Amino acid sequence: MKKTLKSFIAVLLSVLMLFATCSVASASDVQTSENGISALSSAAAYTAQYKGGLVGFLNKIVNGICNAVFSVLGFILPGTSRVIDRKDYVSENFYGGTEEFLDAPAENARWNLGYGSESIIPDNFGERSYHMAGYDLNKNATEALDDLKVRAVAISDGTDRGITILANIDCIGIANSDVKRIRAALADYAQEKNIVSINISSSHTHSGIDSQGIWAEQPKTAFNNLFSALSFGLKDPINGVDEEFMQTIITRTESAVKEAVESMTTGSLTYAAKDGSTYIYDRSEPRVIMKDIVRFVFTPDDANIRPTMIANFGCHPEVVGYTSDKISADFVPYMEEVINAHGYNFLFIQSAIGNSTENRGNCVDGLDIDRHETVIRFGNEVAYFLLGMTETEEYCKENIVDWDRENSTIEALGDNASWYTAWYENWEPAEETEVAPLLNVRLQEFIVKVENGIYKGMGKLSLANNIMLRDGLDIYTVTEIGYMELGTDIMIMLSPGETYPELVCGGADMDEFTYAPLRETYADKTVLDFDLMNDAIGYIIPDNQYTYCTIMKKDNGKITFDNAWGMTSMGEHTASQLIGNFNSIVDSVK
């Protein structure tokens, strides 16, 4: 009986973990309109597919059952000693940003920016295995296809209001508690250098080393922590994150940030954006993506100092990891190798990522190449897109395409040049504008109620490193939301999870959401999103679209399963809490 019970609990916990970590992917063409909303953009079409008639009834039944089962799980699982009473929580290593907000650049203001990067692959990688993150539980790797890095910029507008750090780590996500450990390591240095904001994000690669503890040693960690909770601490709870790897991240990020600060120099900053929707698709309806690929370029006054390019678009780096047992940062390093070869430092920051992933079909050049090679081609070509964004079609053909043919790492390309994807055809250069030297940033720490029974159970068992608070029978997590202004026209949301793009640019059924899309609320500004910033709290789904799993009716009348993204979210009201807090920050500084 004991063996049967133990087996049942093992299966139950494993299923809970798999629901919380697995992705459901299905490729589809994406057709976007001007603001990034797909062809299926009407509320009527959305309702017909998900809410009307039989399909609406089935969704209510399925999600009612899911909610009941997961709520029971979240209720009955006990909490470990790492779950803090809400009244006892004390905030530490939180950076609020610039105290004073300016409406215009200060007199004689100049941008100051520096860059730093470090590998985050541990020194003993290859001698011992590390768990991969993103798909299978307990998947070990001892080889790497490419490097994993932390890249950082230090930026200020030349005033004495302080330096802001923007760093991105090649990992699937990093919890706010670990962000605060990085800040703690930098605390003395930050005070010395007047650093007022330290923001750490992840590239969200699904083939890196597990930085959240969700994919490693399960269900071992679950059983250990369940026993710890039931025995009132007789056995200490286990931290699912590999501490050796986390210490490597902390140390190397500290080094990259210091390198960035020490290399700061004066210069100019420009902004450009171009529709790159052919490279991105949304895996589920309504198909909404952040269609623009955005770049910022910092050009130093000293021509001998290397410029820095910052790229921002929403796209899951998840293609390598589906079948590979080798570590990879997916498309990010293959963007970087091209950008570096053309004379720039490089930083990638996710935009509102939602369900968006790579659309590789138009950049594999018709070649018979493996999954990893298609990722190389994707990363390379998006880099060409960034480099040629403000150039003419002729420039792209003569200076980028010819360079690619000569320098491509895909050997098959040279033998099949006739298959080359003419990505630059009918190319229209994007406008490049100078960004006035004005930097305002404000962050706010806030508490989110965990409504999803899966995440509630995971939080109570301390299976990930997110900060968890207890208040009676309720569980909460501590996270951060931020607001940044670059120049007088660009405003950026610093979001702690995987934000659904419609929260920024609008889309089907958004008229039922509590708040207007950000680009509607702040229509006089260019509104961007920096995602997975300072935390990793899962999908941030509009409240009215939230479901644990979704059944849809296709145009041909067939009823089919669409997605299970709600299982990897803190809960139904996370999005309204986040957007509400963001709007409050904006209001407080205006």
Side-chain angles (χ1 to χ4, degrees):
M1 179 66 182
K2 289 182 179 179
K3 185 176 181 180
T4 302
L5 180 61
K6 183 175 180 180
S7 298
F8 172 75
I9 294 173
V11 170
L12 189 62
L13 290 171
S14 296
V15 169
L16 186 150
M17 292 302 301
L18 285 168
F19 269 132
T21 59
C22 291
S23 295
V24 181
S26 60
S28 176
D29 293 332
V30 179
Q31 296 178 344
T32 56
S33 65
E34 281 302 307
N35 60 354
I37 303 171
S38 69
L40 179 63
S41 57
S42 72
Y46 183 81
T47 298
Q49 284 199 308
Y50 292 99
K51 297 184 176 182
L54 176 61
V55 72
F57 174 75
L58 290 174
N59 272 312
K60 288 179 181 178
I61 295 297
V62 169
N63 282 280
I65 293 172
C66 287
N67 186 59
V69 172
F70 298 147
S71 294
V72 170
L73 281 173
F75 174 76
I76 65 174
L77 289 172
T80 73
S81 58
R82 291 178 60 200
V83 181
I84 308 166
D85 283 339
R86 182 172 177 176
K87 62 181 175 58
D88 296 331
Y89 173 71
V90 177
S91 177
E92 296 180 315
N93 298 305
F94 170 73
Y95 284 68
T98 48
E99 290 187 8
E100 179 189 8
F101 264 53
L102 299 181
D103 295 326
E107 187 176 356
N108 300 319
R110 294 288 292 157
W111 285 112
N112 284 255
L113 186 142
Y115 178 85
S117 70
E118 292 278 353
S119 171
I120 60 166
I121 293 183
D123 292 337
N124 63 355
F125 181 75
E127 299 172 10
R128 57 155 285 198
S129 62
Y130 284 84
H131 288 97
M132 293 182 69
Y135 301 103
D136 301 329
L137 302 179
N138 303 320
K139 187 175 185 179
N140 295 316
T142 56
E143 297 180 61
L145 294 169
D146 45 69
D147 201 0
L148 305 178
K149 290 184 178 182
V150 53
R151 303 168 182 86
V153 296
I155 184 170
S156 81
D157 57 13
T159 65
D160 60 3
R161 296 179 303 132
I163 296 169
T164 291
I165 303 298
L166 294 171
N168 187 272
I169 300 170
D170 285 330
C171 65
I172 195 162
I174 184 161
N176 185 249
S177 60
D178 292 317
V179 169
K180 290 179 174 180
R181 293 174 68 186
I182 293 171
R183 291 171 179 166
L186 285 161
D188 291 342
Y189 185 78
Q191 185 173 7
E192 175 192 345
K193 297 294 185 179
N194 193 24
I195 298 173
V196 297
S197 185
I198 300 175
N199 304 286
I200 312 295
S201 63
S202 61
S203 69
H204 200 57
T205 175
H206 277 236
S207 47
I209 299 173
D210 185 3
S211 54
Q212 292 185 266
I214 298 174
W215 292 268
E217 298 299 326
Q218 305 296 351
K220 174 184 174 182
T221 303
F223 276 121
N224 180 92
N225 292 359
L226 180 60
F227 178 76
S228 176
L230 292 172
S231 64
F232 300 99
L234 186 63
K235 187 177 182 62
D236 291 334
I238 296 174
N239 185 340
V241 176
D242 189 307
E243 183 58 23
E244 188 168 359
F245 178 53
M246 186 52 62
Q247 282 296 332
T248 299
I249 286 179
I250 293 169
T251 301
R252 305 283 174 83
T253 303
E254 177 187 1
S255 177
V257 168
K258 289 180 177 179
E259 180 186 357
V261 173
E262 298 301 327
S263 64
M264 290 180 76
T265 186
T266 60
S268 60
L269 186 70
T270 60
Y271 165 86
K274 186 173 174 61
D275 186 342
S277 54
T278 56
Y279 293 101
I280 307 164
Y281 71 82
D282 188 348
R283 291 169 293 191
S284 60
E285 302 288 0
R287 302 196 188 278
V288 182
I289 62 172
M290 299 292 284
K291 72 181 182 66
D292 283 341
I293 293 177
V294 169
R295 82 173 194 201
F296 292 93
V297 175
F298 173 76
T299 304
D301 293 330
D302 185 342
N304 295 313
I305 299 176
R306 197 177 201 182
T308 296
M309 182 182 295
I310 302 171
N312 174 235
F313 59 93
C315 182
H316 274 74
E318 62 178 0
V319 173
V320 173
Y322 274 106
T323 56
S324 176
D325 60 357
K326 295 180 176 62
I327 295 297
S328 173
D330 207 81
F331 63 76
V332 178
Y334 303 107
M335 292 171 62
E336 182 180 49
E337 69 178 5
V338 171
I339 301 297
N340 285 173
H342 285 78
Y344 297 86
N345 299 316
F346 177 70
L347 173 67
F348 169 68
I349 301 177
Q350 283 287 358
S351 182
I353 191 174
N355 296 325
S356 304
T357 192
E358 302 164 38
N359 187 3
R360 297 165 293 133
N362 68 325
C363 60
V364 297
D365 302 304
L367 305 177
D368 183 17
I369 54 182
D370 64 29
R371 197 175 193 98
H372 178 228
E373 289 174 320
T374 65
V375 170
I376 293 174
R377 288 304 299 160
F378 178 89
N380 287 172
E381 188 160 309
V382 174
Y384 304 144
F385 184 101
L386 285 161
L387 289 166
M389 184 178 290
T390 58
E391 307 293 348
T392 64
E393 178 178 339
E394 192 63 25
Y395 176 94
C396 292
K397 182 177 180 180
E398 293 183 0
N399 293 278
I400 299 177
V401 173
D402 290 347
W403 184 92
D404 180 32
R405 290 177 186 271
E406 295 175 5
N407 293 277
S408 175
T409 56
I410 305 299
E411 293 182 5
L413 181 63
D415 298 328
N416 296 274
S418 61
W419 284 102
Y420 192 91
T421 304
W423 54 270
Y424 54 89
E425 285 188 348
N426 302 314
W427 190 263
E428 292 292 335
E431 181 183 1
E432 187 164 31
T433 59
E434 188 160 341
V435 181
L438 174 65
L439 172 61
N440 294 314
V441 60
R442 179 67 51 82
L443 283 101
Q444 179 186 96
E445 190 174 65
F446 71 104
I447 293 173
V448 177
K449 185 177 181 179
V450 181
E451 301 166 303
N452 180 347
I454 296 174
Y455 269 38
K456 189 173 183 178
M458 289 173 59
K460 291 171 75 175
L461 289 183
S462 305
L463 299 184
N465 262 8
N466 300 80
I467 300 169
M468 290 293 167
L469 309 180
R470 180 193 296 108
D471 189 351
L473 297 177
D474 294 326
I475 298 294
Y476 297 83
T477 189
V478 180
T479 192
E480 298 176 18
I481 183 72
Y483 169 58
M484 178 182 290
E485 294 178 345
L486 291 177
T488 56
D489 300 315
I490 298 171
M491 60 185 298
I492 303 169
M493 178 169 69
L494 307 180
S495 176
E498 298 167 64
T499 308
Y500 268 42
E502 45 262 62
L503 294 168
V504 180
C505 60
D509 215 31
M510 283 302 292
D511 56 341
E512 296 182 18
F513 183 61
T514 308
Y515 301 99
L518 295 182
R519 288 185 176 173
E520 181 179 323
T521 302
Y522 309 104
D524 60 331
K525 302 289 185 181
T526 297
V527 181
L528 305 177
D529 174 79
F530 287 178
D531 236 20
L532 289 153
M533 188 68 73
N534 297 321
D535 207 351
I537 64 170
Y539 283 110
I540 300 170
I541 305 170
D543 301 14
N544 54 297
Q545 292 183 21
Y546 182 86
T547 59
Y548 282 108
C549 55
T550 307
I551 297 167
M552 67 172 288
K553 183 170 69 175
K554 291 187 174 181
D555 292 339
N556 61 9
K558 184 178 180 181
I559 295 176
T560 184
F561 174 77
D562 187 30
N563 70 70
W565 312 120
M567 292 187 182
T568 53
S569 168
M570 288 290 177
E572 181 180 354
H573 299 98
T574 303
S576 56
Q577 291 181 72
L578 181 140
I579 298 298
N581 277 276
F582 177 78
N583 288 337
S584 294
I585 296 175
V586 178
D587 290 343
S588 72
V589 298
K590 292 300 183 185

